Amino acid sequence: QVQLMESGGGLVQPGGSLRLSCAASGSIFSIKAMDWYRQAPEKERDLVATVTSGGSTNYADSVKGRFTISRDNDKNTMYLQMNSLKPEDTAVYYCHVKVRPNPWSLELNYWGQGTQVTVSS
């Protein structure tokens, strides 16, 4: 089993910053990609950013230039630095990882519990 612990959400004014963290623990041989998704009320869950094990990153157009995703492979932890936050960034943010528990297993998908980010004055 793999556990994901998210932290860092909260209430921030427009233009402010927050840093989200997602730490993976448990039965982990390797982690391929790590992602952040978000879901606003009455909307679908959308991909925000992805970072591969090699450090390559991809971002949704709506957050490019404002958000930065990174990971610490030694700590199995992923971060999302969010700057210049806008009210439309308000959502529950979820971390997602693809984990290989052992060398001979398939990759399994795991989701964090979600952390609320609210951007409001």
Side-chain angles (χ1 to χ4, degrees):
Q1 269 290 12
V2 173
Q3 295 78 42
L4 299 179
M5 181 61 67
E6 299 180 22
S7 61
L11 172 64
V12 64
Q13 293 186 343
S17 298
L18 284 175
R19 188 189 194 213
L20 305 183
S21 299
C22 174
S25 62
S27 180
I28 299 172
F29 172 72
S30 66
I31 300 178
K32 190 177 180 181
M34 303 180 81
D35 319 290
W36 287 100
Y37 283 75
R38 68 184 181 187
Q39 187 169 19
E42 300 182 0
K43 292 191 175 181
E44 295 185 352
R45 189 173 297 187
D46 294 325
L47 179 63
V48 176
T50 297
V51 58
T52 68
S53 56
S56 297
T57 58
N58 276 294
Y59 299 91
D61 288 342
S62 58
V63 306
K64 281 181 181 177
R66 300 187 298 121
F67 290 11
T68 302
I69 190 171
S70 61
R71 63 190 279 178
D72 184 332
N73 290 327
D74 291 337
K75 296 181 179 179
N76 289 329
T77 300
M78 168 177 64
Y79 307 95
L80 186 67
Q81 178 66 43
M82 305 185 293
N83 299 327
S84 302
L85 282 161
K86 305 175 180 179
E88 51 264 43
D89 294 317
T90 296
V92 178
Y93 284 70
Y94 297 91
C95 67
H96 168 258
V97 299
K98 290 185 177 180
V99 174
R100 185 165 300 199
N102 49 65
W104 53 87
S105 67
L106 297 174
E107 290 179 336
L108 302 176
N109 291 289
Y110 291 92
W111 290 89
Q113 79 282 3
T115 185
Q116 177 69 48
V117 171
T118 303
V119 185
S120 175
S121 54

Coordinates of all heavy atoms in Angstrom, one line a residue, residues 42-115:
E42 N -18.6 21.7 -8.9 CA -19.4 21.5 -10.1 C -18.7 21.4 -11.4 O -19.2 21.6 -12.5 CB -20.6 22.5 -10.2 CG -21.5 22.5 -9.0 CD -22.7 23.4 -9.1 OE1 -22.8 24.1 -10.1 OE2 -23.5 23.5 -8.2
K43 N -17.4 21.2 -11.3 CA -16.5 21.0 -12.5 C -15.8 19.7 -12.5 O -15.7 19.1 -11.4 CB -15.6 22.2 -12.7 CG -16.3 23.5 -12.9 CD -15.3 24.6 -13.3 CE -16.0 25.9 -13.7 NZ -15.0 27.0 -14.1
E44 N -15.3 19.3 -13.6 CA -14.5 18.1 -13.7 C -13.1 18.3 -13.1 O -12.6 19.4 -13.0 CB -14.4 17.6 -15.1 CG -15.7 17.2 -15.8 CD -15.5 16.7 -17.2 OE1 -14.4 16.7 -17.7 OE2 -16.5 16.1 -17.7
R45 N -12.5 17.2 -12.7 CA -11.1 17.3 -12.2 C -10.1 17.4 -13.4 O -10.2 16.6 -14.3 CB -10.8 16.0 -11.4 CG -9.4 16.0 -10.7 CD -9.3 14.8 -9.8 NE -10.3 14.7 -8.8 CZ -10.3 13.8 -7.8 NH1 -9.3 12.9 -7.8 NH2 -11.2 13.8 -6.9
D46 N -9.3 18.4 -13.4 CA -8.4 18.8 -14.5 C -7.0 18.6 -14.1 O -6.6 18.9 -12.9 CB -8.7 20.2 -14.9 CG -10.0 20.4 -15.6 OD1 -10.5 19.4 -16.2 OD2 -10.6 21.5 -15.4
L47 N -6.2 18.2 -15.0 CA -4.7 18.1 -14.8 C -4.1 19.6 -14.7 O -4.4 20.4 -15.6 CB -4.1 17.3 -15.9 CG -2.6 17.1 -15.8 CD1 -2.2 16.4 -14.6 CD2 -2.0 16.4 -17.1
V48 N -3.3 19.8 -13.7 CA -2.7 21.1 -13.6 C -1.2 21.1 -14.0 O -0.8 21.9 -14.8 CB -2.7 21.6 -12.1 CG1 -2.0 22.9 -11.9 CG2 -4.2 21.7 -11.6
A49 N -0.5 20.1 -13.5 CA 0.9 20.0 -13.9 C 1.4 18.6 -13.6 O 0.9 17.8 -12.8 CB 1.7 21.0 -13.0
T50 N 2.5 18.2 -14.4 CA 3.1 16.9 -14.3 C 4.6 17.0 -14.2 O 5.2 17.9 -14.9 CB 2.7 16.0 -15.5 OG1 1.3 15.8 -15.6 CG2 3.5 14.7 -15.5
V51 N 5.2 16.2 -13.4 CA 6.7 16.1 -13.4 C 7.1 14.6 -13.4 O 6.6 13.8 -12.7 CB 7.3 16.8 -12.1 CG1 6.8 16.2 -10.8 CG2 8.8 16.8 -12.1
T52 N 8.0 14.3 -14.3 CA 8.4 12.9 -14.5 C 9.6 12.6 -13.5 O 10.1 13.5 -12.9 CB 8.9 12.7 -15.9 OG1 10.1 13.4 -16.2 CG2 7.9 13.1 -16.9
S53 N 10.0 11.4 -13.5 CA 11.1 11.0 -12.6 C 12.4 11.7 -13.0 O 13.3 11.9 -12.2 CB 11.3 9.5 -12.6 OG 11.5 9.0 -13.9
G54 N 12.5 12.0 -14.3 CA 13.7 12.7 -14.8 C 13.6 14.2 -14.7 O 14.6 14.9 -15.0
G55 N 12.5 14.7 -14.2 CA 12.4 16.1 -13.9 C 11.7 16.9 -15.0 O 11.6 18.2 -14.9
S56 N 11.3 16.3 -16.1 CA 10.5 17.0 -17.2 C 9.2 17.4 -16.6 O 8.5 16.7 -15.9 CB 10.4 16.1 -18.4 OG 11.6 15.8 -18.9
T57 N 8.7 18.6 -17.1 CA 7.5 19.1 -16.5 C 6.5 19.5 -17.7 O 7.0 19.9 -18.8 CB 7.7 20.4 -15.6 OG1 8.4 21.3 -16.4 CG2 8.6 20.0 -14.4
N58 N 5.2 19.5 -17.3 CA 4.2 20.0 -18.3 C 3.2 20.7 -17.4 O 2.9 20.3 -16.3 CB 3.6 18.9 -19.1 CG 4.4 18.5 -20.3 OD1 4.5 19.3 -21.2 ND2 5.0 17.3 -20.3
Y59 N 2.6 21.7 -18.0 CA 1.6 22.6 -17.3 C 0.4 22.8 -18.1 O 0.4 22.9 -19.4 CB 2.2 23.9 -16.9 CG 3.4 23.9 -16.0 CD1 4.7 23.8 -16.5 CD2 3.2 23.8 -14.6 CE1 5.8 23.7 -15.7 CE2 4.3 23.8 -13.8 CZ 5.6 23.7 -14.3 OH 6.7 23.7 -13.5
A60 N -0.8 22.9 -17.5 CA -2.0 23.4 -18.1 C -1.7 24.9 -18.6 O -1.0 25.6 -17.9 CB -3.2 23.3 -17.2
D61 N -2.3 25.2 -19.7 CA -2.1 26.6 -20.2 C -2.5 27.6 -19.1 O -1.9 28.7 -19.1 CB -2.9 26.8 -21.5 CG -2.3 26.1 -22.6 OD1 -1.1 25.7 -22.6 OD2 -3.1 25.9 -23.6
S62 N -3.5 27.3 -18.4 CA -4.1 28.3 -17.4 C -3.1 28.7 -16.3 O -3.3 29.7 -15.6 CB -5.4 27.8 -16.8 OG -5.2 26.6 -16.2
V63 N -2.1 27.8 -16.1 CA -1.2 28.1 -14.9 C 0.3 28.3 -15.4 O 1.1 28.6 -14.5 CB -1.2 26.9 -13.9 CG1 -2.6 26.6 -13.5 CG2 -0.6 25.6 -14.5
K64 N 0.5 28.2 -16.7 CA 1.9 28.4 -17.2 C 2.4 29.8 -16.8 O 1.7 30.8 -16.9 CB 1.9 28.2 -18.7 CG 1.9 26.8 -19.2 CD 2.0 26.7 -20.7 CE 2.0 25.3 -21.1 NZ 2.0 25.2 -22.6
G65 N 3.6 29.8 -16.3 CA 4.3 31.0 -15.9 C 3.9 31.4 -14.5 O 4.5 32.4 -14.0
R66 N 3.0 30.8 -13.8 CA 2.6 31.1 -12.5 C 2.9 30.0 -11.5 O 3.2 30.2 -10.3 CB 1.1 31.5 -12.4 CG 0.7 32.6 -13.3 CD -0.8 33.1 -13.1 NE -1.7 32.0 -13.4 CZ -2.6 31.5 -12.5 NH1 -2.6 31.9 -11.3 NH2 -3.4 30.5 -12.9
F67 N 2.7 28.8 -11.9 CA 2.9 27.6 -11.1 C 4.2 26.9 -11.5 O 4.6 26.8 -12.7 CB 1.7 26.6 -11.2 CG 0.4 27.1 -10.7 CD1 0.2 28.4 -10.3 CD2 -0.6 26.2 -10.5 CE1 -1.0 28.8 -9.7 CE2 -1.8 26.5 -10.0 CZ -2.0 27.9 -9.6
T68 N 4.8 26.3 -10.5 CA 6.0 25.5 -10.7 C 5.9 24.2 -10.0 O 5.8 24.2 -8.7 CB 7.3 26.2 -10.3 OG1 7.4 27.5 -11.0 CG2 8.5 25.4 -10.6
I69 N 6.0 23.1 -10.7 CA 6.0 21.8 -10.1 C 7.4 21.2 -10.0 O 8.3 21.5 -10.8 CB 5.1 20.8 -10.9 CG1 4.9 19.5 -10.2 CG2 5.7 20.5 -12.3 CD1 3.9 18.6 -10.8
S70 N 7.7 20.5 -8.9 CA 9.0 20.0 -8.7 C 8.9 18.7 -7.8 O 7.8 18.5 -7.2 CB 9.9 21.0 -8.0 OG 9.4 21.4 -6.7
R71 N 9.9 18.0 -7.7 CA 9.9 16.7 -6.9 C 11.3 16.5 -6.3 O 12.3 16.8 -6.9 CB 9.4 15.5 -7.7 CG 10.3 15.1 -8.8 CD 9.6 14.1 -9.7 NE 9.7 12.7 -9.2 CZ 9.1 11.7 -9.7 NH1 8.4 11.8 -10.8 NH2 9.3 10.5 -9.2
D72 N 11.3 15.8 -5.2 CA 12.5 15.4 -4.5 C 12.4 13.8 -4.5 O 11.6 13.3 -3.7 CB 12.5 15.9 -3.1 CG 13.8 15.5 -2.4 OD1 14.4 14.5 -2.7 OD2 14.2 16.3 -1.5
N73 N 13.1 13.2 -5.4 CA 13.0 11.8 -5.5 C 13.5 11.0 -4.3 O 13.0 9.9 -4.0 CB 13.8 11.3 -6.8 CG 13.2 11.7 -8.1 OD1 12.0 11.8 -8.2 ND2 14.0 12.0 -9.1
D74 N 14.5 11.6 -3.6 CA 15.0 10.9 -2.4 C 13.9 10.9 -1.3 O 13.9 10.0 -0.5 CB 16.2 11.7 -1.9 CG 17.4 11.5 -2.8 OD1 17.4 10.5 -3.5 OD2 18.3 12.4 -2.7
K75 N 13.0 11.9 -1.3 CA 12.0 12.0 -0.3 C 10.6 11.5 -0.8 O 9.6 11.6 -0.1 CB 11.9 13.4 0.3 CG 13.1 13.9 1.0 CD 12.9 15.3 1.5 CE 14.1 15.8 2.2 NZ 13.9 17.2 2.7
N76 N 10.6 11.1 -2.1 CA 9.3 10.8 -2.7 C 8.2 11.8 -2.5 O 7.1 11.5 -2.1 CB 8.8 9.4 -2.2 CG 9.6 8.2 -2.7 OD1 10.2 8.3 -3.8 ND2 9.7 7.2 -1.8
T77 N 8.7 13.1 -2.7 CA 7.8 14.2 -2.4 C 7.7 15.1 -3.6 O 8.7 15.3 -4.3 CB 8.3 15.0 -1.2 OG1 8.3 14.1 0.0 CG2 7.4 16.2 -0.9
M78 N 6.5 15.6 -3.8 CA 6.3 16.5 -4.9 C 5.8 17.9 -4.4 O 5.1 17.9 -3.3 CB 5.2 15.9 -5.9 CG 4.7 16.8 -6.9 SD 3.5 16.0 -8.0 CE 2.2 15.5 -6.9
Y79 N 6.1 18.9 -5.1 CA 5.7 20.3 -4.6 C 5.0 21.0 -5.8 O 5.2 20.7 -7.0 CB 6.9 21.1 -4.2 CG 7.7 20.4 -3.2 CD1 8.9 19.6 -3.5 CD2 7.4 20.5 -1.8 CE1 9.6 19.0 -2.6 CE2 8.2 19.8 -0.9 CZ 9.3 19.1 -1.3 OH 10.1 18.4 -0.3
L80 N 4.1 21.9 -5.4 CA 3.5 22.8 -6.4 C 3.6 24.2 -5.8 O 2.9 24.6 -4.9 CB 2.1 22.5 -6.7 CG 1.5 23.3 -7.8 CD1 2.1 23.0 -9.2 CD2 -0.1 23.0 -7.9
Q81 N 4.5 25.0 -6.4 CA 4.6 26.4 -6.0 C 3.6 27.2 -6.8 O 3.8 27.2 -8.1 CB 6.0 26.9 -6.2 CG 6.2 28.4 -5.8 CD 6.0 28.7 -4.4 OE1 6.5 28.0 -3.5 NE2 5.3 29.8 -4.1
M82 N 2.7 27.9 -6.2 CA 1.7 28.7 -6.9 C 1.8 30.1 -6.6 O 1.7 30.5 -5.4 CB 0.3 28.2 -6.5 CG 0.1 26.7 -6.7 SD -1.6 26.1 -6.3 CE -1.6 26.4 -4.5
N83 N 2.1 30.9 -7.6 CA 2.3 32.3 -7.5 C 1.2 33.1 -8.3 O 0.6 32.5 -9.2 CB 3.7 32.8 -8.0 CG 4.8 32.1 -7.2 OD1 4.7 31.9 -6.0 ND2 5.9 31.9 -7.8
S84 N 1.1 34.3 -8.0 CA 0.1 35.2 -8.7 C -1.3 34.5 -8.8 O -1.9 34.4 -9.8 CB 0.6 35.5 -10.1 OG 1.9 36.1 -10.1
L85 N -1.7 34.0 -7.7 CA -2.9 33.3 -7.6 C -4.1 34.1 -8.0 O -4.2 35.3 -7.6 CB -3.1 32.6 -6.3 CG -2.3 31.4 -6.0 CD1 -2.2 31.1 -4.6 CD2 -2.9 30.2 -6.8
K86 N -5.1 33.5 -8.7 CA -6.3 34.2 -9.1 C -7.5 33.5 -8.5 O -7.5 32.3 -8.2 CB -6.4 34.1 -10.6 CG -5.2 34.6 -11.4 CD -5.4 34.4 -12.9 CE -4.2 34.9 -13.7 NZ -4.3 34.6 -15.1
P87 N -8.6 34.2 -8.4 CA -9.8 33.5 -7.9 C -10.2 32.3 -8.6 O -10.7 31.3 -8.0 CB -10.9 34.6 -8.0 CG -10.2 35.9 -7.9 CD -8.8 35.6 -8.6
E88 N -10.0 32.2 -9.9 CA -10.3 31.0 -10.7 C -9.4 29.9 -10.4 O -9.6 28.8 -10.9 CB -10.3 31.3 -12.2 CG -9.0 32.0 -12.7 CD -9.2 33.6 -12.8 OE1 -9.8 34.2 -11.8 OE2 -8.7 34.1 -13.8
D89 N -8.4 30.1 -9.6 CA -7.5 28.9 -9.1 C -8.1 28.2 -7.9 O -7.6 27.2 -7.5 CB -6.1 29.4 -8.7 CG -5.3 30.0 -9.9 OD1 -5.4 29.3 -11.0 OD2 -4.7 31.0 -9.8
T90 N -9.2 28.8 -7.4 CA -9.9 28.2 -6.3 C -10.4 26.8 -6.6 O -11.1 26.6 -7.6 CB -11.1 29.0 -5.8 OG1 -10.5 30.3 -5.3 CG2 -11.8 28.4 -4.7
A91 N -10.0 25.8 -5.8 CA -10.4 24.4 -6.1 C -9.8 23.5 -5.0 O -9.0 24.0 -4.2 CB -9.8 23.9 -7.5
V92 N -10.2 22.2 -5.1 CA -9.5 21.2 -4.3 C -8.4 20.7 -5.1 O -8.7 20.2 -6.3 CB -10.5 20.1 -3.8 CG1 -9.7 19.0 -3.0 CG2 -11.6 20.7 -3.0
Y93 N -7.2 20.7 -4.6 CA -6.0 20.2 -5.4 C -5.7 18.8 -4.9 O -5.6 18.5 -3.7 CB -4.9 21.1 -5.2 CG -5.0 22.4 -6.0 CD1 -6.0 23.4 -5.6 CD2 -4.2 22.7 -7.1 CE1 -6.1 24.5 -6.4 CE2 -4.3 23.8 -7.8 CZ -5.3 24.7 -7.5 OH -5.4 25.9 -8.2
Y94 N -5.5 17.9 -5.8 CA -5.2 16.5 -5.6 C -3.8 16.1 -6.2 O -3.6 16.5 -7.3 CB -6.3 15.6 -6.2 CG -7.6 15.8 -5.6 CD1 -8.5 16.6 -6.2 CD2 -8.1 15.0 -4.5 CE1 -9.8 16.8 -5.8 CE2 -9.4 15.2 -4.1 CZ -10.2 16.1 -4.7 OH -11.5 16.2 -4.2
C95 N -3.1 15.4 -5.4 CA -1.9 14.8 -6.0 C -2.2 13.4 -6.5 O -3.0 12.7 -5.9 CB -0.7 14.8 -5.0 SG -0.8 13.8 -3.6
H96 N -1.5 13.0 -7.5 CA -1.7 11.7 -8.1 C -0.3 11.2 -8.5 O 0.6 11.9 -9.0 CB -2.5 11.9 -9.4 CG -2.5 10.6 -10.3 ND1 -1.8 10.6 -11.4 CD2 -3.2 9.5 -10.1 CE1 -2.0 9.4 -12.0 NE2 -2.8 8.7 -11.2
V97 N -0.1 9.9 -8.2 CA 1.2 9.3 -8.5 C 1.0 7.9 -9.1 O 0.0 7.2 -8.9 CB 2.1 9.1 -7.3 CG1 2.4 10.5 -6.7 CG2 1.5 8.2 -6.3
K98 N 1.9 7.5 -10.0 CA 2.0 6.2 -10.5 C 3.1 5.5 -9.9 O 4.3 5.8 -10.1 CB 2.1 6.2 -12.0 CG 0.9 6.7 -12.8 CD 1.0 6.6 -14.3 CE -0.3 7.0 -15.0 NZ -0.1 6.9 -16.4
V99 N 2.8 4.4 -9.1 CA 3.9 3.8 -8.3 C 4.0 2.3 -8.7 O 3.1 1.6 -9.0 CB 3.5 3.8 -6.8 CG1 4.4 3.0 -6.0 CG2 3.4 5.2 -6.3
R100 N 5.3 1.9 -8.8 CA 5.6 0.5 -8.9 C 6.0 0.0 -7.6 O 7.1 0.3 -7.1 CB 6.7 0.3 -10.0 CG 7.0 -1.1 -10.3 CD 7.8 -1.3 -11.6 NE 7.1 -0.7 -12.7 CZ 7.4 -1.0 -13.9 NH1 8.3 -1.8 -14.2 NH2 6.7 -0.4 -14.9
P101 N 5.2 -0.8 -6.9 CA 5.5 -1.3 -5.6 C 6.8 -2.2 -5.5 O 7.5 -2.2 -4.5 CB 4.3 -2.1 -5.1 CG 3.2 -1.6 -6.0 CD 3.9 -1.3 -7.3
N102 N 7.0 -3.0 -6.6 CA 8.2 -3.8 -6.6 C 8.6 -3.9 -8.1 O 7.9 -3.5 -9.0 CB 8.0 -5.2 -6.0 CG 6.7 -5.8 -6.5 OD1 6.6 -6.1 -7.7 ND2 5.7 -5.9 -5.6
P103 N 9.8 -4.5 -8.4 CA 10.3 -4.5 -9.7 C 9.5 -5.3 -10.8 O 9.6 -5.0 -11.9 CB 11.7 -5.1 -9.6 CG 12.1 -4.9 -8.2 CD 10.8 -4.9 -7.4
W104 N 8.7 -6.2 -10.3 CA 8.0 -7.1 -11.2 C 6.5 -6.7 -11.3 O 5.8 -7.4 -12.0 CB 8.2 -8.6 -10.8 CG 7.8 -8.8 -9.4 CD1 6.5 -9.1 -8.9 CD2 8.7 -8.7 -8.2 NE1 6.6 -9.2 -7.5 CE2 7.9 -9.0 -7.1 CE3 10.0 -8.5 -8.1 CZ2 8.4 -9.0 -5.8 CZ3 10.6 -8.5 -6.8 CH2 9.8 -8.8 -5.7
S105 N 6.1 -5.7 -10.6 CA 4.7 -5.3 -10.6 C 4.3 -4.3 -11.7 O 5.2 -3.5 -12.1 CB 4.2 -4.8 -9.2 OG 4.9 -3.6 -9.0
L106 N 3.0 -4.2 -12.0 CA 2.6 -3.1 -12.8 C 2.5 -1.8 -12.0 O 2.5 -1.8 -10.8 CB 1.2 -3.4 -13.3 CG 1.1 -4.7 -14.2 CD1 -0.4 -5.0 -14.6 CD2 1.9 -4.5 -15.5
E107 N 2.4 -0.7 -12.7 CA 2.2 0.6 -12.0 C 0.8 0.7 -11.5 O -0.2 0.3 -12.2 CB 2.5 1.7 -13.0 CG 4.0 1.8 -13.3 CD 4.3 3.0 -14.3 OE1 3.4 3.4 -15.0 OE2 5.4 3.5 -14.3
L108 N 0.7 1.2 -10.3 CA -0.6 1.5 -9.7 C -0.8 3.0 -9.5 O 0.1 3.7 -9.2 CB -0.7 0.7 -8.3 CG -0.4 -0.8 -8.4 CD1 -0.4 -1.4 -7.0 CD2 -1.5 -1.5 -9.2
N109 N -2.1 3.4 -9.6 CA -2.4 4.8 -9.4 C -2.9 5.0 -8.0 O -3.7 4.3 -7.4 CB -3.5 5.1 -10.4 CG -3.1 5.2 -11.8 OD1 -2.3 6.0 -12.2 ND2 -3.5 4.2 -12.6
Y110 N -2.4 6.1 -7.4 CA -2.8 6.5 -6.1 C -3.1 8.0 -6.1 O -2.5 8.8 -6.8 CB -1.7 6.3 -5.1 CG -1.5 4.8 -4.8 CD1 -0.5 4.1 -5.5 CD2 -2.2 4.1 -3.9 CE1 -0.3 2.8 -5.3 CE2 -2.0 2.8 -3.6 CZ -1.0 2.1 -4.3 OH -0.8 0.8 -4.1
W111 N -4.2 8.4 -5.3 CA -4.6 9.8 -5.2 C -4.5 10.2 -3.7 O -4.7 9.5 -2.8 CB -6.1 9.9 -5.6 CG -6.3 9.7 -7.1 CD1 -6.5 8.5 -7.7 CD2 -6.3 10.7 -8.1 NE1 -6.7 8.7 -9.1 CE2 -6.5 10.1 -9.3 CE3 -6.0 12.1 -8.1 CZ2 -6.6 10.8 -10.5 CZ3 -6.1 12.8 -9.3 CH2 -6.4 12.1 -10.5
G112 N -4.1 11.5 -3.6 CA -4.2 12.1 -2.3 C -5.6 12.4 -1.9 O -6.5 12.3 -2.7
Q113 N -5.7 12.9 -0.6 CA -7.1 13.2 -0.1 C -7.6 14.5 -0.5 O -8.8 14.8 -0.4 CB -7.1 13.1 1.4 CG -6.5 14.4 2.1 CD -5.0 14.4 2.1 OE1 -4.3 13.6 1.6 NE2 -4.5 15.5 2.8
G114 N -6.7 15.4 -1.1 CA -7.1 16.7 -1.6 C -6.9 17.7 -0.5 O -7.0 17.5 0.7
T115 N -6.5 18.9 -1.0 CA -6.3 20.1 -0.1 C -7.0 21.3 -0.8 O -6.8 21.5 -2.0 CB -4.8 20.3 0.2 OG1 -4.7 21.4 1.1 CG2 -4.1 20.7 -1.1

